[in-house]
Amino acid sequence: IKESGNVVESVNTGNAIKPPRILITGGLGQLGTECAKLLRRNYGNENVILSDIIKPSEESLENGPFIFADILDFKGLQKIVVDYGIDWLIHFSALLSAVGEQNVPLAVRVNIEGMHNVIELAKQYKLRIFIPSTIGAFGPDSPRNPTPNVTVQRPRTIYGVSKVHAELLGEYYHHRFGLDFRCLRFPGVISSDPPGGGTTDYAVAVFHEGLLNKRYECYLEPHTRLPMIYIDDCLSALFQFLNTPEKLLRRRVYNVTAMSFTPEELFNELFKYIPDLKITYKPDKRQHIAESWPQVFDDSEARRDWGWQHKYDLQRLVELMVQDVNTNFL
Ligand code: AKB
C-alpha cells in the first residue's frame, strides 16, 4: 500500500500479510477525524476504528466504524481490542493546556489515569502505541531557542506534566517490556476545526473570527513566538513515524515542527486576504504558559533518523486555512 511515496507497513500474521487494525481514542478532537481519513485511505475503512465518549457528527460516521470507548474503563478497552482484533493504538484523548488548568482533577484523570490504562493495554496485547506529546512538555528552565530533543523538562501546566509522564512511562515500558511505544512532540497544530482549549489556538481562532467578523482579540502579546505546524504536515509526520521500522528509531520520543511565528507575523500574512481585519491584544493567563514554552523547536533528530520533512510554511498555511475555513465554515 502506498501513500505519497511512503511505503506502508503491514502486520505479518504468519500466513498472510494484512494491514494493521487501528483504534483511535479521543477521535473527535482536532486530529482524530483527519487522522482516520488518512489511515483509512492506506489501510482500508474497516481497519481504522474511531472512538470517543462524545456523540459523533454525520461526517465522523462516514467511511468507517465509530464506537464508544471510555479510556477510564480498562475492561471496556480490553473488550474492544479483543472484539476488533486491534494491532495499533493511537491515543489522542487529552485535555489541552488551557482547559487543563481550569480543571486539574479532570486533567489528571484523563491525561494520566487514562494514559496508564492504554499503555498497560498495549503491553498486555502487544500493540504498537502512539501517544502525542507537545512543546508544552517543556518549561521555563528549558532552552527556548532552539529547544533540543533531550534537555531539561520542568513544565508548569498539568498538561505538560502529564505529557512528560507519558514520555517517561512509554520509554520505560519500551526498555522494560519491549513495548513498541512511539511519541512525537507536536507544536501548535493549525487546522480549520474550531479550537479546543490550547494555548496555541489563537492561530486557529483568528481565521474563524477574522473571516466572519473582520476582527479578532488576541490573548497573546504580539511578539510571542511559538512553533507551529499545519495539520497535513502533522499527520504526515505521524503516519511516516508509525511506519518507520523499529531498527531506525534511535529514540522513542522525537520533536517535530514546521515553522515558528508570532501573532504579529501571522496577522501580517492574513492581512493579505482580509485587508480590513482589526486586531486588538488582551493578554491573559495563556500568555504565561506561552512564555514558558519553546520558541523554536529543534527537530533535527527526526529529520536525521526517519527522514521527517515538512511541506507547509507560513505563507502556504495561511492560504490553505483561509480556503479551508471559507469552504467548511462560512
Ligand atoms: C496547546 O496549546 O495546549 C496545544 C499544544 C501545543 O500542545 N496546542
Side-chain angles (χ1 to χ4, degrees):
I1 315 166
K2 281 198 157 207
E3 160 73 13
S4 58
N6 293 320
V7 180
V8 171
E9 192 160 315
S10 300
V11 174
N12 191 341
T13 55
N15 303 321
I17 301 284
K18 70 168 184 69
R21 302 209 93 201
I22 306 169
L23 175 66
I24 303 178
T25 68
L28 299 184
Q30 188 189 21
L31 300 178
T33 315
E34 292 305 311
C35 180
K37 280 187 199 156
L38 171 65
L39 295 173
R40 282 175 179 157
R41 278 202 299 277
N42 282 278
Y43 300 123
N45 291 357
E46 294 309 309
N47 289 319
V48 180
I49 293 113
L50 202 55
S51 77
D52 211 309
I53 54 167
I54 49 183
K55 209 171 158 191
S57 64
E58 288 293 312
E59 196 207 341
S60 314
L61 290 171
E62 280 166 15
N63 307 323
F66 178 90
I67 58 170
F68 174 90
D70 179 358
I71 53 151
L72 296 173
D73 170 15
F74 189 69
K75 268 213 168 334
L77 293 175
Q78 285 181 304
K79 181 163 171 15
I80 293 168
V81 170
V82 171
D83 287 353
Y84 288 89
I86 298 300
D87 304 298
W88 294 3
L89 182 56
I90 299 182
H91 179 56
F92 284 145
S93 309
L95 262 63
L96 296 184
S97 55
V99 283
E101 291 312 291
Q102 285 156 18
N103 193 343
V104 174
L106 183 65
V108 168
R109 279 190 43 84
V110 175
N111 294 15
I112 300 181
E113 288 172 35
M115 186 270 298
H116 287 170
N117 279 341
V118 295
I119 210 159
E120 190 53 36
L121 189 76
K123 170 178 156 261
Q124 272 186 14
Y125 292 96
K126 301 194 174 5
L127 312 179
R128 178 170 300 180
I129 181 168
F130 176 85
I131 304 183
S133 186
T134 163
I135 51 171
F138 297 90
D141 299 325
S142 313
R144 296 179 66 210
N145 188 349
T147 307
N149 219 93
V150 178
T151 186
V152 177
Q153 288 178 267
R154 285 287 180 277
R156 296 268 176 92
T157 61
I158 188 61
Y159 175 59
V161 169
S162 70
K163 289 298 185 180
V164 175
H165 179 58
E167 293 179 6
L168 293 176
L169 202 65
E171 285 181 353
Y172 172 75
Y173 269 55
H174 170 68
H175 294 299
R176 178 85 165 74
F177 305 115
L179 177 70
D180 189 354
F181 166 76
R182 302 181 185 216
C183 173
L184 294 178
R185 293 192 191 114
F186 290 133
V189 178
I190 315 293
S191 70
S192 62
D193 276 353
T199 301
T200 55
D201 284 344
Y202 84 87
V204 174
V206 68
F207 289 95
H208 287 271
E209 292 183 33
L211 286 163
L212 193 67
N213 307 323
K214 307 268 185 286
R215 56 176 65 237
Y216 180 66
E217 185 168 86
C218 183
Y219 57 79
L220 294 184
E221 282 173 6
H223 301 298
T224 317
R225 183 170 301 283
L226 288 166
M228 302 278 184
I229 194 168
Y230 182 58
I231 185 155
D232 288 15
D233 267 342
C234 171
L235 294 176
S236 306
L238 197 167
F239 185 79
Q240 194 184 342
F241 181 55
L242 266 179
N243 282 289
T244 301
E246 284 206 86
K247 61 177 186 301
L248 295 183
L249 299 180
R250 285 198 229 180
R251 29 180 102 261
R252 291 283 150 176
V253 180
Y254 285 94
N255 292 355
V256 290
T257 192
M259 63 192 102
S260 276
F261 55 74
T262 65
E264 193 170 56
E265 287 165 359
L266 175 66
F267 304 151
N268 283 340
E269 196 56 39
L270 191 53
F271 288 142
K272 295 182 188 161
Y273 298 84
I274 322 174
D276 51 347
L277 173 63
K278 186 165 169 11
I279 298 286
T280 49
Y281 292 93
K282 194 173 172 205
D284 64 19
K285 287 183 183 153
R286 288 169 282 190
Q287 178 65 28
H288 299 294
I289 298 179
E291 274 170 15
S292 74
W293 283 2
Q295 295 177 315
V296 174
F297 217 29
D298 175 358
D299 61 359
S300 52
E301 297 205 15
R303 290 174 193 265
R304 178 198 66 197
D305 290 358
W306 46 274
W308 160 239
Q309 273 184 309
H310 70 276
K311 276 207 201 112
Y312 301 96
D313 61 10
L314 176 59
Q315 283 181 2
R316 193 83 180 102
L317 169 118
V318 172
E319 187 187 332
L320 289 169
M321 280 295 289
V322 168
Q323 244 174 51
D324 295 349
V325 173
N326 266 326
T327 329
N328 300 320
F329 293 92
L330 300 182

